Amino acid sequence: MNFHKLRLMAFDQLKLQSYYRSRAAQYDEIYLKVERQSDLSKIRDWLPPKFYEAHVLEIACGTGYWTQYIAPRASSLFAIDTAAETLSIAKGRLDIQSVIFQIGDAYDLPKMPENLNAAFAGFWFSHVPKSRIHEFLKGLSYRLKPDSRVVFLDNLYVEGSSSRITDEDSEGNTYQTRQLANGSSHKVLKNFPTELEMHDAIKGIGHTAHWTCWDYYWAFEFRTNEFVCNI
Ligand SMILES: C[S@@+](CC[C@H](N)C(=O)[O-])C[C@H]1O[C@@H](n2cnc3c(N)ncnc32)[C@H](O)[C@@H]1O
C-alpha cells in the first residue's frame, strides 16, 4: 500500500474516533428508534446466552449498551474503545467487578487477559475499511484461544431508516454524512457487508460461521481457528 493511501486511512480513523467522541452523549438515541424496538428486544434475548460463562473481549464497546446485557452472563469481560467519553458512560452504566473497561485501539490491541475465549463487537465491523478487515480479524484472533466464539452485530441498510449513503471510494467503502446535535457534519465510513462477504472475510481465521438477520440488523458468528502467524 502506498504512503498516500496509508495517510488517508490513518486520517479516516482519526475522523471516526473524533466523531464518536463528539457523539458520546447522544449515542444511545440510536437505540430509541421506534421501528427498531422489536428487533432490539429479540437481540437482547438472543445475544447474551452466547457468552454464558465465557471470558469475553468486547471491541469498540461504546457506551456499553450491549455490555450491560452480556456481562451478567459472562465470567469476565474486557472491553475496549478509543473514546474516553463513551467509556465513561459505559463505566457509569455497569458496576460489575468482572468487567474491565480500557482505552484501546481495535487495530493495535492493548495488553489484556490471556484467558479470553469469546469476542463481541457491536456496530464496529461496518466501520472497518475493506483494506483493514484482515488486519483487524488477525489481531483479534491472536488474542483469543482457539475455537473461541466471535459475534459481530451490525446494521442492514434499510431505506428510510438508515442514513443515506452519500459517497463510495475506489475500494468500495461506502460513506454516510451524519449531523450531530451541535450542528457539526461528519463523513463516516459505514459498510453494509453481505453474508457472502463475511464468510470470505474469515477465511483462514475462523470456521463454523453462521449469519442471522432481523429486519434492521445482521449478526455473524464463527469460531476461531488456532492462530497461525502467516495467515
Ligand atoms: C457505532 S459505535 C458502537 C458502540 C457499541 N459497540 C454499541 O454497539 O453500541 C462505534 C464505536 O467504535 C469506537 N471506535 C472508533 N474507532 C475505534 C478503534 N480504532 N478501536 C476501538 N474503538 C473504536 C467509537 O469510539 C465508538 O464507540
Side-chain angles (χ1 to χ4, degrees):
M1 195 176 298
N2 68 36
F3 180 65
H4 178 64
K5 199 151 185 206
L6 277 173
R7 271 188 56 173
L8 272 179
M9 260 169 40
F11 185 57
D12 272 355
Q13 250 312 296
L14 288 177
K15 279 201 306 193
L16 182 74
Q17 291 169 21
S18 148
Y19 164 71
Y20 277 111
R21 280 202 302 276
S22 310
R23 188 179 159 191
Q26 70 178 97
Y27 181 77
D28 283 353
E29 288 169 14
I30 196 72
Y31 291 114
L32 301 177
K33 284 200 169 194
V34 176
E35 71 278 15
R36 301 187 186 187
Q37 293 311 307
S38 164
D39 271 12
L40 288 169
S41 157
K42 287 178 197 153
I43 297 167
R44 283 193 297 263
D45 289 341
W46 178 87
L47 184 66
K50 300 203 172 284
F51 297 103
Y52 180 68
E53 290 190 346
H55 296 284
V56 184
L57 166 59
E58 184 176 355
I59 303 288
C61 65
T63 58
Y65 181 85
W66 295 104
T67 324
Q68 69 184 327
Y69 299 111
I70 294 171
R73 298 292 187 97
S75 286
S76 69
L77 192 148
F78 185 87
I80 62 140
D81 198 284
T82 41
E85 292 82 350
T86 60
L87 282 173
S88 131
I89 296 171
K91 282 178 190 158
R93 183 172 241 161
L94 260 108
D95 186 16
I96 304 183
Q97 286 222 322
S98 56
V99 179
I100 296 172
F101 290 105
Q102 195 172 302
I103 292 206
D105 184 345
Y107 301 106
D108 184 15
L109 293 170
K111 188 170 157 42
M112 54 182 66
E114 285 174 9
N115 61 349
L116 298 165
N117 60 5
F120 171 70
F123 307 92
W124 163 248
F125 196 88
S126 50
H127 291 307
V128 178
K130 293 184 185 219
S131 57
R132 298 195 82 178
I133 288 176
H134 188 72
E135 172 193 354
F136 161 62
L137 289 175
K138 196 171 150 185
L140 175 65
S141 77
Y142 177 59
R143 298 308 178 99
L144 301 173
K145 291 193 172 297
D147 217 34
S148 291
R149 169 175 278 166
V150 177
V151 184
F152 297 140
L153 172 68
D154 227 299
N155 299 96
L156 291 171
Y157 184 80
V158 182
E159 204 67 56
S161 180
S162 308
S163 302
R164 220 161 44 82
I165 293 169
T166 49
D167 206 355
E168 182 166 347
D169 67 18
S170 57
E171 74 177 35
N173 297 300
T174 49
Y175 295 81
Q176 296 171 327
T177 304
R178 300 183 181 179
Q179 256 75 38
L180 291 180
N182 64 9
S184 60
S185 174
H186 303 257
K187 184 175 163 184
V188 177
L189 186 153
K190 178 85 177 174
N191 286 327
F192 296 90
T194 62
E195 175 177 2
L196 194 62
E197 285 171 325
M198 292 307 295
H199 281 281
D200 273 354
I202 62 146
K203 276 187 185 146
I205 305 261
H207 60 93
T208 326
H210 188 68
W211 169 271
T212 307
C213 249
W214 296 269
D215 290 339
Y216 294 90
Y217 305 101
W218 58 264
F220 187 73
E221 49 187 312
F222 63 93
R223 297 275 179 174
T224 54
N225 296 341
E226 183 142 14
F227 181 80
V228 184
C229 259
N230 60 358
I231 48 171

